[in-house]
Structures are given as C-alpha cells and as structure tokens.
Amino acid sequence: AAASSSADSTLTPDFLPNQPFVIGVSGGTASGKTTVCDMIIQQLHDHRVVLVNQDSFYRGLNPEELERVHEYNFDHPDAFDTEQLLECTMKLISGQGVHVPIYDFKKHQRSSDSFRQVNASDVIILEGILVFHDQRVRDLMNMKIFVDTDADVRLARRIRRDTMERGRDINSVLEQYAKFVKPAFDDFVLPSKKYADVIIPRGGDNHVAIDLIVQHIRTKLGQHDLCKIYPNAYVIQSTFQI
Ligand code: ADP
Ligand code: C5P
C-alpha cells in the first residue's frame, strides 16, 4: 500500500518497510513537547532515533525586523521556513543525512557557520508548535502526538524558561504572550489538534501515555524487522489487519 492518497488529510500513511517511522509531536509553547520526545528517545535507546525541532527552521530576522523585534510574530506559520523543513524531512526519510540549522533564541538568528549533522535513522521525530499546520509535512508522519497541557501551566513554564534561558525580561514575555503567543495558539495550534492520533494530557508527567506510545513504536519497528526476514510477512499482516 502506498502512502495515503485520500483527500481526507487526517489519514495517517502506512508505515512502509525500509522507511523510517516518522512521529510528529505538537502542542502549545512549553507544553512539554521536548520533554516527551526526550522520554521517548530514552526508552528507544536500542534504536536509531533522531529529533528534528521545527524551531531550527525559524527564519532569521533582517536588521529592520530585529529593530522592531517586539512587533514580530514568532507564532505565525510564516515565521518558519517550512519548505526547508519539508526538504530535510524527505531527505531523512529517503535515507540521506542532513544539515539542520542551529537557531539562537537570544539573537533571533540562525548560526551562519555551523549546522547540526543528522544521520539517517529508524525513527524520525518532528517536534514543534506548528508541525501539523502544513499538510505536506503532516502527510509524512506515521503517528501524530499532541501534548495537551493547561495554558496557565504553560505560561508559568514559559516565563521561567524565557527569563532564565532565552534572555528575556518578564514584561516582554507577558506582552509577547498576550499579543502573539495566545492568539496564534487559538488560531493555528489548537485547530491542528484534530489531526493528532494520540493526545497526551500533562505531557512528561504522563508516564502511562509515553509507555503506550513507545510500545506501539516498538511493535511497528518489530513488524519491519520481521519483513526483512520474511518479505511476504507485510502482505499477510496487511490482509489480516482489517
Ligand atoms: P516545549 O518543548 O513544549 O516548549 P519543554 O519540554 O521544553 O516544552 O518544557 C518547557 C519548560 O517546562 C522547560 O523548562 C522544562 O524543563 C519544563 N517542564 C517540562 N515538563 C515539565 C514537567 N512535567 N514538570 C515541570 N517542568 C516541566
Ligand atoms: O519551545 P517552544 O515550542 O515554546 O518554542 C516556540 C516558541 O518560541 C513560540 O511560541 C515563539 O513565541 C517563541 N520564540 C521566541 N523568539 C524567537 C523564536 C521563537 O520567543 N526568536
């Protein structure tokens, strides 16, 4: 079976032998996406897993935009170079290694001289607030996870993180949250929750959900290993899956 060709964009494509298993992890800012990804990666230590952050594909700001950075909307889909994210993901799926940009949240720029080398893997995780927004990116995912954490908890974590790690002061965090982050969550992030296969309440605190997800990934990867030994196993298994 080929990847889903249906007009229904919520369908998840079949996981084909000899291709990596692609997982999308979305959710609001500071919902615990990275934490959930790290926990999945830790539990899958015996497989080759790579994490690709949508944040790495933020467009760098030009001098005029930098001067008026408080008016820049980092939560709008146009803030990302989605074409580049798509190209990178497709290369990884086809088994090629890629150079992922390194983004600096303090300078609002990408590093001009260094990249992160990411090699081909068994599992690719795409993580970011808007990874379900573009249908072409969404359609590459075999499993979509939405991390669902209350907005007050997310705001509290964001204040702590942005003031301690991203060089912001509390007033600018609160202003940005009210002006851009919250409205964009309502307009773009929350509506993309409908594409999720799995919704994880409370993020990294939810060990049961993470164990279940890891079990599912292991089952899928195990089926592929079986296909490598018995090439017909895929056909037999597909027939009986109904
Ligand atoms: P996201 O990737 O969605 O922005 P992170 O996983 O980076 O979220 O978490 C955002 C902040 O909240 C980080 O500083 C992290 O340490 C903290 N955090 C994440 N999950 C928890 C949790 N379950 N309990 C307490 N703090 C958490
Ligand atoms: O890690 P997290 O998912 O929270 O990262 C996305 C958030 O980073 C967005 O909500 C956006 O407001 C913020 N951001 C920022 N400054 C940048 C780039 C992104 O505050 N230069």
Side-chain angles (χ1 to χ4, degrees):
S4 162
S5 59
S6 163
D8 183 348
S9 56
T10 62
L11 284 183
T12 297
D14 288 341
F15 174 37
L16 300 175
N18 302 320
Q19 283 204 350
F21 191 74
V22 184
I23 306 170
V25 178
S26 186
T29 182
S31 55
K33 301 181 292 298
T34 311
T35 306
V36 165
C37 292
D38 288 344
M39 290 169 79
I40 293 174
I41 292 168
Q42 243 176 23
Q43 290 200 33
L44 288 175
H45 53 85
D46 49 337
H47 288 278
R48 296 180 308 164
V49 187
V50 288
L51 176 61
V52 176
N53 306 93
Q54 187 179 30
D55 291 347
S56 306
F57 297 88
Y58 265 117
R59 299 175 195 280
L61 301 198
N62 63 34
E64 295 92 81
E65 288 167 334
L66 268 179
E67 241 173 65
R68 303 155 76 99
V69 69
H70 299 296
E71 291 167 28
Y72 193 90
N73 189 349
F74 290 103
D75 293 76
H76 191 278
D78 293 347
F80 299 95
D81 186 344
T82 300
E83 299 303 317
Q84 198 187 6
L85 169 69
L86 190 64
E87 193 188 320
C88 248
T89 310
M90 289 190 337
K91 273 192 177 168
L92 280 171
I93 291 174
S94 72
Q96 300 172 62
V98 292
H99 281 146
V100 173
I102 295 175
Y103 186 73
D104 186 330
F105 284 91
K106 290 184 180 163
K107 296 183 182 153
H108 315 287
Q109 297 289 4
R110 292 178 180 188
S111 167
S112 55
D113 54 3
S114 51
F115 291 92
R116 183 166 69 100
Q117 170 71 37
V118 175
N119 298 323
S121 296
D122 304 322
V123 179
I124 300 167
I125 307 182
L126 300 181
E127 174 269 318
I129 50 169
L130 288 168
V131 282
F132 298 162
H133 181 74
D134 189 293
Q135 188 187 338
R136 296 165 304 164
V137 179
R138 214 163 60 221
D139 284 350
L140 299 174
M141 297 168 181
N142 303 108
M143 182 189 209
K144 302 185 203 71
I145 299 170
F146 190 94
V147 182
D148 202 3
T149 304
D150 289 348
D152 53 353
V153 175
R154 291 191 292 103
L155 176 58
R157 286 182 189 165
R158 171 128 177 180
I159 292 169
R160 190 179 292 136
R161 181 192 64 191
D162 285 9
T163 51
M164 290 172 72
E165 295 168 24
R166 294 188 179 175
R168 315 289 166 90
D169 64 69
I170 188 158
N171 280 332
S172 81
V173 177
L174 293 175
E175 256 171 47
Q176 183 190 9
Y177 188 84
K179 193 169 174 188
F180 296 120
V181 183
K182 186 177 164 61
F185 177 82
D186 293 338
D187 290 348
F188 303 111
V189 184
L190 197 54
S192 77
K193 183 174 163 181
K194 64 174 176 280
Y195 301 115
D197 303 305
V198 184
I199 295 166
I200 311 188
R202 306 179 309 281
D205 291 338
N206 194 334
H207 292 265
V208 174
I210 290 159
D211 287 352
L212 286 171
I213 288 165
V214 170
Q215 252 179 47
H216 177 78
I217 301 165
R218 282 193 178 283
T219 306
K220 291 290 177 187
L221 293 174
Q223 285 169 359
H224 275 203
D225 289 344
L226 195 67
C227 289
K228 285 176 195 153
I229 308 167
Y230 306 108
N232 284 336
Y234 185 71
V235 178
I236 296 163
Q237 174 217 324
S238 303
T239 314
F240 282 97
Q241 238 176 11
I242 307 156

PDB file of all heavy atoms in Angstrom, residues 94-105:
ATOM      1  N   SER A  94      14.292   9.340   2.960  1.00  0.00           N
ATOM      2  CA  SER A  94      14.888   8.574   1.858  1.00  0.00           C
ATOM      3  C   SER A  94      16.258   8.000   2.240  1.00  0.00           C
ATOM      4  O   SER A  94      16.939   7.405   1.426  1.00  0.00           O
ATOM      5  CB  SER A  94      15.006   9.448   0.610  1.00  0.00           C
ATOM      6  OG  SER A  94      16.041  10.389   0.816  1.00  0.00           O
ATOM      7  N   GLY A  95      16.661   8.195   3.499  1.00  0.00           N
ATOM      8  CA  GLY A  95      17.882   7.552   3.981  1.00  0.00           C
ATOM      9  C   GLY A  95      19.126   8.421   3.895  1.00  0.00           C
ATOM     10  O   GLY A  95      20.230   7.954   4.180  1.00  0.00           O
ATOM     11  N   GLN A  96      18.969   9.683   3.501  1.00  0.00           N
ATOM     12  CA  GLN A  96      20.142  10.569   3.434  1.00  0.00           C
ATOM     13  C   GLN A  96      20.325  11.343   4.746  1.00  0.00           C
ATOM     14  O   GLN A  96      19.345  11.639   5.431  1.00  0.00           O
ATOM     15  CB  GLN A  96      19.956  11.599   2.317  1.00  0.00           C
ATOM     16  CG  GLN A  96      19.778  10.997   0.927  1.00  0.00           C
ATOM     17  CD  GLN A  96      19.404  12.092  -0.065  1.00  0.00           C
ATOM     18  OE1 GLN A  96      20.168  13.028  -0.281  1.00  0.00           O
ATOM     19  NE2 GLN A  96      18.226  11.972  -0.662  1.00  0.00           N
ATOM     20  N   GLY A  97      21.558  11.696   5.050  1.00  0.00           N
ATOM     21  CA  GLY A  97      21.834  12.558   6.196  1.00  0.00           C
ATOM     22  C   GLY A  97      21.567  14.013   5.806  1.00  0.00           C
ATOM     23  O   GLY A  97      21.556  14.336   4.616  1.00  0.00           O
ATOM     24  N   VAL A  98      21.325  14.870   6.800  1.00  0.00           N
ATOM     25  CA  VAL A  98      21.053  16.293   6.507  1.00  0.00           C
ATOM     26  C   VAL A  98      21.791  17.205   7.491  1.00  0.00           C
ATOM     27  O   VAL A  98      22.188  16.775   8.572  1.00  0.00           O
ATOM     28  CB  VAL A  98      19.536  16.632   6.575  1.00  0.00           C
ATOM     29  CG1 VAL A  98      18.760  15.964   5.467  1.00  0.00           C
ATOM     30  CG2 VAL A  98      18.948  16.268   7.931  1.00  0.00           C
ATOM     31  N   HIS A  99      21.925  18.471   7.064  1.00  0.00           N
ATOM     32  CA  HIS A  99      22.434  19.504   7.951  1.00  0.00           C
ATOM     33  C   HIS A  99      21.247  20.312   8.456  1.00  0.00           C
ATOM     34  O   HIS A  99      20.546  20.944   7.665  1.00  0.00           O
ATOM     35  CB  HIS A  99      23.370  20.452   7.188  1.00  0.00           C
ATOM     36  CG  HIS A  99      24.737  19.892   6.985  1.00  0.00           C
ATOM     37  ND1 HIS A  99      25.489  20.151   5.877  1.00  0.00           N
ATOM     38  CD2 HIS A  99      25.483  19.091   7.772  1.00  0.00           C
ATOM     39  CE1 HIS A  99      26.646  19.519   5.983  1.00  0.00           C
ATOM     40  NE2 HIS A  99      26.671  18.873   7.121  1.00  0.00           N
ATOM     41  N   VAL A 100      21.012  20.305   9.760  1.00  0.00           N
ATOM     42  CA  VAL A 100      19.899  21.077  10.330  1.00  0.00           C
ATOM     43  C   VAL A 100      20.469  22.387  10.889  1.00  0.00           C
ATOM     44  O   VAL A 100      21.476  22.374  11.606  1.00  0.00           O
ATOM     45  CB  VAL A 100      19.185  20.255  11.433  1.00  0.00           C
ATOM     46  CG1 VAL A 100      18.142  21.085  12.150  1.00  0.00           C
ATOM     47  CG2 VAL A 100      18.545  19.005  10.835  1.00  0.00           C
ATOM     48  N   PRO A 101      19.829  23.525  10.566  1.00  0.00           N
ATOM     49  CA  PRO A 101      20.328  24.809  11.087  1.00  0.00           C
ATOM     50  C   PRO A 101      20.291  24.857  12.617  1.00  0.00           C
ATOM     51  O   PRO A 101      19.503  24.148  13.249  1.00  0.00           O
ATOM     52  CB  PRO A 101      19.343  25.840  10.513  1.00  0.00           C
ATOM     53  CG  PRO A 101      18.556  25.138   9.471  1.00  0.00           C
ATOM     54  CD  PRO A 101      18.621  23.673   9.752  1.00  0.00           C
ATOM     55  N   ILE A 102      21.131  25.712  13.174  1.00  0.00           N
ATOM     56  CA  ILE A 102      21.128  25.922  14.632  1.00  0.00           C
ATOM     57  C   ILE A 102      20.572  27.320  14.889  1.00  0.00           C
ATOM     58  O   ILE A 102      21.093  28.305  14.355  1.00  0.00           O
ATOM     59  CB  ILE A 102      22.555  25.780  15.204  1.00  0.00           C
ATOM     60  CG1 ILE A 102      23.022  24.332  15.007  1.00  0.00           C
ATOM     61  CG2 ILE A 102      22.593  26.183  16.678  1.00  0.00           C
ATOM     62  CD1 ILE A 102      24.467  24.084  15.413  1.00  0.00           C
ATOM     63  N   TYR A 103      19.486  27.407  15.674  1.00  0.00           N
ATOM     64  CA  TYR A 103      18.790  28.677  15.881  1.00  0.00           C
ATOM     65  C   TYR A 103      19.118  29.247  17.258  1.00  0.00           C
ATOM     66  O   TYR A 103      19.148  28.522  18.253  1.00  0.00           O
ATOM     67  CB  TYR A 103      17.274  28.468  15.747  1.00  0.00           C
ATOM     68  CG  TYR A 103      16.491  29.747  15.794  1.00  0.00           C
ATOM     69  CD1 TYR A 103      16.506  30.630  14.723  1.00  0.00           C
ATOM     70  CD2 TYR A 103      15.738  30.078  16.919  1.00  0.00           C
ATOM     71  CE1 TYR A 103      15.793  31.823  14.773  1.00  0.00           C
ATOM     72  CE2 TYR A 103      15.018  31.263  16.973  1.00  0.00           C
ATOM     73  CZ  TYR A 103      15.056  32.125  15.899  1.00  0.00           C
ATOM     74  OH  TYR A 103      14.345  33.303  15.948  1.00  0.00           O
ATOM     75  N   ASP A 104      19.339  30.555  17.300  1.00  0.00           N
ATOM     76  CA  ASP A 104      19.654  31.232  18.556  1.00  0.00           C
ATOM     77  C   ASP A 104      18.459  32.097  18.978  1.00  0.00           C
ATOM     78  O   ASP A 104      18.135  33.080  18.302  1.00  0.00           O
ATOM     79  CB  ASP A 104      20.913  32.104  18.330  1.00  0.00           C
ATOM     80  CG  ASP A 104      21.401  32.742  19.624  1.00  0.00           C
ATOM     81  OD1 ASP A 104      20.564  33.005  20.514  1.00  0.00           O
ATOM     82  OD2 ASP A 104      22.613  32.979  19.726  1.00  0.00           O
ATOM     83  N   PHE A 105      17.802  31.708  20.083  1.00  0.00           N
ATOM     84  CA  PHE A 105      16.611  32.418  20.553  1.00  0.00           C
ATOM     85  C   PHE A 105      16.945  33.787  21.148  1.00  0.00           C
ATOM     86  O   PHE A 105      16.061  34.601  21.348  1.00  0.00           O
ATOM     87  CB  PHE A 105      15.868  31.593  21.616  1.00  0.00           C
ATOM     88  CG  PHE A 105      15.074  30.457  21.041  1.00  0.00           C
ATOM     89  CD1 PHE A 105      15.630  29.199  20.902  1.00  0.00           C
ATOM     90  CD2 PHE A 105      13.770  30.649  20.629  1.00  0.00           C
ATOM     91  CE1 PHE A 105      14.903  28.149  20.369  1.00  0.00           C
ATOM     92  CE2 PHE A 105      13.031  29.601  20.105  1.00  0.00           C
ATOM     93  CZ  PHE A 105      13.602  28.352  19.978  1.00  0.00           C
TER      94      PHE A 105
END
